[in-house]
Amino acid sequence: MSSGSTRHRVAVIGGDGIGPEVCAEALKVVAAAGVDLDTTHFDLGAARYLRDGAVLPDETLAELRGFDAILLGAIGPPVGDTTVPPGTLERGLLLRLRFDLDLFVNLRPFAGIPGSVAAGADFVVIRENTEGTYAGEGGFLRKGTPHEVATQGSVNTRHGVERCARFAFDLASRRQAHHLTLVHKTNVLTFAGDLWHRTVSEVSAEYPDIDWDYNHVDAACIYLVEDPQRYDVIVTDNLFGDILTDLAGAVSGGIGFAASANLNPARTGPSLFEPVHGAAHDIAGKGIANPLAAIHSAALMLEHLGESDAARRIVKAVAEQTDDMSNPDIPTSNEQLSTTAVGDAIAERL
Ligand code: NAD
Ligand code: IPM
Ligand code: MN
């Protein structure tokens, strides 16, 4: 039963590698939490591309706009694969969804699991999701010649940075620590960094109760490993956010735990929920992928859809399961649980 009068319509893109495996567990857990979603599965990803060349047809994108939310597993070919040119799916499918649906916030929460480097840490990275080096500015000159030139610019707009900064301050003001850190590279990226620093500084005037500071991105990598407990809300640009969140996942217990929400806060269309990790072809089909990132991402989706009670219960079950899996006093803690066994265990706890 859903809390609203109509069932939430969710588009599911399982995608490639472990994507479909972890998505199935996320949907199993949502059902166990008592939310009856109206799901439609979309055949997109490497297999579809190799079959008929389609990446994200215009009519499919138009159809996706009509859903309440999108749940995505992962897309992308094995690293080094040349049958799908690099970026075809990443840019043509995932980034196109982020850009065209105006999912300008990529929210990635981290809670260090017991025994991890970041044990006890609890922070959220707000990654700008539509600009920076991801915008696709650049090109080649004299490609393939000894005088070849390749440029890849970084696009930073006042509007784009400001709305992201404001979202991050709003989030910080709802959290206990009331702290925000801007991460950038103002000492070298003196144009983009200047815009980011000025904008965050100006927006901060609207939030006098939030303590904010600034870290260079290289130093932030040190602090994430040596003292991650210092962070509460981190706000950063698209590429730094991509890199920092894989690192944050690794120090928090593993990338298999890291969830994300690609949000259109104005709700002019569906938001997209997906694990931080990729298609992990090295472990695909073995039944050993950790589904907790996808399950937690589905909880973020339910929260966004107004199913707060179910979302809270799933997040709690994930935390308890994680604690048990990392507790040396529990005999099964060091055994590798299968993907489906972890999904079943969460469903059982609900
Ligand atoms: P990856 O995240 O797929 O894998 C990196 C490492 O993490 C691998 O060793 C993998 O086994 C491990 N790992 C990832 N998820 C795991 C899980 N749930 N449980 C246990 N271990 C897990 O990154 P990659 O290898 O650089 O990329 C593979 C493909 O995925 C590429 O095509 C890339 O473009 C794509 N990708 C897609 C997304 C996405 O769809 N959102 C994100 C990242 C990468
Ligand atoms: C992520 C992924 C994507 C990114 C890729 C697949 C386009 O790495 O969601 O972190 O770089 O944003
Ligand atoms: Mn990434």
Side-chain angles (χ1 to χ4, degrees):
M1 79 237 114
S2 297
S3 64
S5 52
T6 52
R7 290 156 82 207
H8 306 291
R9 295 186 62 237
V10 172
V12 180
I13 304 173
D16 301 317
I18 63 170
E21 302 172 30
V22 297
C23 258
E25 299 312 308
L27 292 172
K28 178 198 282 178
V29 166
V30 169
V35 180
D36 178 23
L37 297 176
D38 177 5
T39 55
T40 305
H41 289 258
F42 284 81
D43 174 20
L44 295 169
R48 170 77 188 276
Y49 171 77
L50 291 171
R51 200 171 63 245
D52 66 8
V55 176
L56 177 59
D58 290 344
E59 56 276 17
T60 307
L61 176 58
E63 199 184 338
L64 288 169
R65 284 185 197 280
F67 283 83
D68 297 321
I70 303 168
L71 182 69
L72 185 143
I75 50 94
V79 177
D81 171 292
T82 49
T83 57
V84 184
T88 303
L89 299 168
E90 292 84 347
R91 281 205 169 273
L93 177 47
L94 185 54
L95 297 190
R96 184 158 181 225
L97 288 171
R98 289 177 183 169
F99 295 176
D100 286 24
L101 299 176
D102 206 17
L103 310 177
F104 70 82
V105 165
N106 196 328
L107 179 149
R108 299 183 158 183
F110 297 91
I113 77 169
S116 71
V117 169
D122 178 348
F123 59 94
V124 182
V125 177
I126 299 300
R127 165 186 178 189
E128 200 294 318
N129 213 28
T130 55
E131 302 193 338
T133 44
Y134 279 65
E137 197 242 321
F140 293 109
L141 270 179
R142 302 186 283 275
K143 189 174 180 185
T145 74
H147 302 288
E148 175 164 354
V149 178
T151 65
Q152 193 104 42
S154 173
V155 175
N156 300 265
T157 69
R158 170 71 194 210
H159 169 72
V161 175
E162 187 174 324
R163 64 185 184 170
C164 183
R166 191 161 278 115
F167 184 96
F169 274 103
D170 276 339
L171 175 65
S173 61
R174 292 194 305 275
R175 288 169 59 88
Q176 218 184 343
H178 275 54
H179 190 264
L180 179 146
T181 306
L182 166 64
V183 174
H184 210 283
K185 184 76 185 172
T186 56
N187 52 346
V188 173
L189 305 183
T190 51
F191 309 129
D194 186 75
L195 173 61
W196 269 86
H197 199 279
R198 250 184 309 117
T199 304
V200 167
S201 179
E202 285 169 25
V203 171
S204 77
E206 297 165 30
Y207 299 86
D209 56 336
I210 306 294
D211 236 6
W212 79 278
D213 61 3
Y214 168 80
N215 292 165
H216 291 315
V217 64
D218 44 354
C221 291
I222 300 173
Y223 303 143
L224 270 177
V225 173
E226 293 189 346
D227 181 27
Q229 292 77 10
R230 69 169 60 207
Y231 291 119
D232 180 27
V233 174
I234 291 176
V235 63
T236 191
D237 94 336
N238 211 338
L239 182 59
F240 296 144
D242 177 47
I243 298 165
L244 282 181
T245 52
D246 264 22
L247 178 58
V251 297
S252 299
I255 196 67
F257 293 93
S260 87
N262 296 257
L263 298 172
N264 170 335
R267 294 179 183 258
T268 56
S271 290
L272 183 155
F273 301 82
E274 54 166 349
V276 170
H277 65 72
H281 291 275
D282 52 341
I283 57 168
K286 297 184 176 161
I288 57 169
N290 184 351
L292 291 175
I295 292 169
H296 189 183
S297 302
L300 297 175
M301 176 178 79
L302 293 183
E303 180 73 49
H304 185 77
L305 292 172
E307 301 286 354
S308 302
D309 178 59
R312 244 192 319 273
R313 285 186 293 119
I314 295 174
V315 170
K316 184 163 170 276
V318 167
E320 288 169 359
Q321 177 70 21
T322 303
D323 279 1
D324 283 5
M325 280 160 64
S326 50
N327 182 347
D329 296 332
I330 296 178
T332 54
S333 70
N334 291 321
E335 287 171 24
Q336 169 97 53
L337 284 181
S338 74
T339 306
T340 52
V342 174
D344 290 344
I346 300 290
E348 189 99 338
R349 286 175 192 274
L350 290 166

